[in-house]
Amino acid sequence: MKRLMTLMALLASVVCARAQYVTYNHDDAKMNQVTVMETGTGTLSPDLYYMLLHNSYKKTASAKNKLSFRTQSGIHIYNQVDEAKTIDTALVKRAEIEALNMADRQIDIAWLAEGDKINKMMERFKRNIDRIVTTGGTPSDKERWTEYYRVYECALSATKDAYMPNAQRKKEYLRIYDDVSKQNELLVRYLVSRHNATLTSDLLAATDNRTVNKASIAVNALGRWNSSRRMVRGSQSGGGSSGDGEETVGR
């Protein structure tokens, strides 16, 4: 049994050694064909074989070798070096510009400059909206102006979140500020008109409710007339004028 195992191991080692052995059989015809295909030098052999069966290939094989294509490819690649450098330089400059643009868009410097002014105008606008009902306006009027206020709040929020440069962002903030200022002026005019209308209504209501006492008016007028009459008599008597002191009235 041991001998059988030893014999099998020896046979397996021989087979493996035989499988790993590489032979090299040189073939001039194949080497010439490869040389012609790669560099264009050499001749195709046997000549009679190529003349009879591959005559057209024989005529053009040396001119269509791979060496010419490799040379042209190298020339084209070499010419692309300058273009690649130009493209790389342009891309680097573009990347620098975009980095500055990203930094400009991520920090809202425009709000730092204009935010306090806009917030004050929005607060003033909100206070005037709250005065609508107290000055004689209706709840529907207040709701209408409140919708305007919400529109401007939405515009400010959208501008803050927008991806835009600070110069453009500042323009948008100033436009919103101008619109809020105009609407606030209109609201102030509306409040003044409602206040004046309320005062006028109150005055008219007070005039309509007042009763006229004609007897009292006549008594007051008579009293004033008697007072004036006594003053005239006193001035005449003090001046030493003649007469009985009675004044006459032409009827």
Side-chain angles (χ1 to χ4, degrees), residues 23-27:
T23 59
Y24 177 74
N25 296 324
H26 181 71
D27 191 339

Side-chain angles (χ1 to χ4, degrees), residues 162-216:
Y163 184 74
M164 64 175 65
N166 279 289
Q168 182 65 29
R169 198 189 303 271
K170 183 175 182 179
K171 291 180 180 179
E172 297 299 328
Y173 284 144
L174 293 178
R175 288 175 184 173
I176 295 172
Y177 177 80
D178 292 338
D179 289 342
V180 176
S181 299
K182 293 178 181 178
Q183 292 298 327
N184 188 59
E185 291 179 1
L186 292 175
L187 179 57
V188 170
R189 294 176 185 176
Y190 171 75
L191 293 175
V192 171
S193 65
R194 294 304 307 171
H195 181 69
N196 292 336
T198 303
L199 291 178
T200 303
S201 299
D202 293 340
L203 291 175
L204 292 175
T207 303
D208 292 338
N209 294 330
R210 187 176 63 181
T211 59
V212 179
N213 191 348
K214 296 182 180 180
S216 176

Side-chain angles (χ1 to χ4, degrees), residues 35-44 56-68:
T35 304
V36 172
M37 292 170 59
E38 294 292 333
T39 63
T41 59
T43 58
L44 295 172
S56 60
Y57 172 70
K58 179 183 177 182
K59 293 179 181 179
T60 59
S62 59
K64 295 181 179 180
N65 61 83
K66 296 179 181 179
L67 183 61
S68 61

Side-chain angles (χ1 to χ4, degrees), residues 64-108:
K64 295 181 179 180
N65 61 83
K66 296 179 181 179
L67 183 61
S68 61
F69 293 104
R70 293 193 186 99
T71 304
Q72 292 178 2
S73 177
I75 294 173
H76 291 314
I77 293 173
Y78 182 78
N79 291 333
Q80 292 176 1
V81 173
D82 295 335
E83 296 179 3
K85 290 181 179 179
T86 303
I87 295 172
D88 182 69
T89 303
L91 291 176
V92 170
K93 291 182 178 179
R94 184 62 183 173
E96 293 175 353
I97 295 173
E98 286 301 322
L100 295 175
N101 290 336
M102 291 178 63
D104 186 41
R105 287 165 168 81
Q106 290 176 353
I107 302 175
D108 193 355

Side-chain angles (χ1 to χ4, degrees), residues 81-144:
V81 173
D82 295 335
E83 296 179 3
K85 290 181 179 179
T86 303
I87 295 172
D88 182 69
T89 303
L91 291 176
V92 170
K93 291 182 178 179
R94 184 62 183 173
E96 293 175 353
I97 295 173
E98 286 301 322
L100 295 175
N101 290 336
M102 291 178 63
D104 186 41
R105 287 165 168 81
Q106 290 176 353
I107 302 175
D108 193 355
I109 301 176
W111 181 254
L112 298 177
E114 306 295 340
D116 186 59
K117 178 174 66 175
I118 296 174
N119 283 333
K120 289 180 179 179
M121 179 56 66
M122 291 291 289
E123 291 175 359
R124 191 178 304 119
F125 189 42
K126 186 66 169 59
R127 287 196 301 269
N128 290 330
I129 291 173
D130 294 336
R131 295 191 181 106
I132 291 176
V133 177
T134 58
T135 55
T138 61
S140 61
D141 293 335
K142 182 179 179 181
E143 182 65 23
R144 172 178 173 273

